[in-house]
Amino acid sequence: MEKLFSPWRLRYIASARREDEGCVFCHAVRTRRDRDNLVLLRGHLNFAILNKYPYNNGHLMIVPNAHRRSLQELPAEALSEMMQMTVRCEAALRDVYRPSGFNLGMNLGRSAGAGIEGHLHLHLVPRWDGDTNFMTVVHGTRVIPEAIRVTYRRLRERLVR
């Protein structure tokens, strides 16, 4: 198996593990300062939030309001709303960015790669043919061509209609 070194992710992973800061997702639920926290959409039991350290433009996450480590800890209503919100966000990403594909997944637990292991979340990452270019592969640098606040504005306008 080949490994790709990705040092740009270290700041994200290291900052997420500091217990004295608390859970960033719970903070977003409590403060309700959606623009500051990059919250795109709120449901009754979940919310959609942009990833501050994205793999690609439009990388977002669907997060339950409840601080839970595993899917089995969520009620059926929260799981259902999570999938419905994912469908809605996928449609918005298709409309705004026209990706040729998506990565969709969860990392449950530290050994699975969870940066925020105590609060489960579902990643939705738009992908384009050729988006893994030489900058990422050879130089270990991600190229994100759009500022995160612009991404927030574009997706928020599409989601909150």
Side-chain angles (χ1 to χ4, degrees):
M1 173 169 42
E2 293 183 29
K3 294 182 181 166
L4 177 63
F5 182 60
S6 56
W8 63 88
R9 300 280 298 152
L10 182 59
R11 184 171 55 159
Y12 168 73
I13 291 168
S15 68
R17 287 188 188 157
R18 279 187 249 148
E19 295 202 20
D20 60 336
E21 288 185 359
C23 175
V24 296
F25 297 139
C26 290
H27 175 77
V29 170
R30 279 191 314 270
T31 64
R32 301 192 68 86
R33 292 188 352 235
D34 289 354
R35 185 165 189 235
D36 292 341
N37 294 319
L38 302 174
V39 173
L40 294 163
L41 179 67
R42 287 187 184 270
H44 296 292
L45 302 169
N46 294 271
F47 62 97
I49 187 171
L50 281 177
N51 191 317
K52 279 188 178 180
Y53 303 99
Y55 290 116
N56 277 332
N57 280 110
H59 178 176
L60 58 85
M61 298 167 289
I62 312 302
V63 185
N65 294 341
H67 187 95
R68 300 291 182 265
R69 291 183 180 277
S70 71
L71 293 169
Q72 65 187 356
E73 295 177 37
L74 290 175
E77 299 81 16
L79 293 168
S80 177
E81 185 185 78
M82 179 182 277
M83 286 288 77
Q84 292 167 7
M85 193 173 282
T86 301
V87 169
R88 189 170 170 187
C89 288
E90 177 194 359
L93 287 165
R94 284 188 190 281
D95 186 43
V96 172
Y97 291 103
R98 305 273 188 240
S100 51
F102 288 92
N103 289 122
L104 178 67
M106 290 184 174
N107 303 316
L108 300 177
R110 182 179 296 175
S111 64
I116 301 172
E117 65 181 291
H119 199 142
L120 73 87
H121 50 283
L122 178 66
H123 291 265
L124 180 58
V125 184
R127 301 303 302 261
W128 294 266
D129 293 334
D131 68 6
T132 304
N133 60 36
F134 79 96
M135 288 295 287
T136 301
V137 176
V138 176
H139 295 289
T141 302
R142 295 297 286 175
V143 178
I144 307 293
E146 182 176 70
I148 199 160
R149 294 290 174 192
V150 174
T151 302
Y152 177 83
R153 181 185 49 78
R154 293 177 73 193
L155 287 172
R156 175 92 176 173
E157 286 173 1
R158 171 57 175 74
L159 286 165
V160 185
R161 288 186 183 182

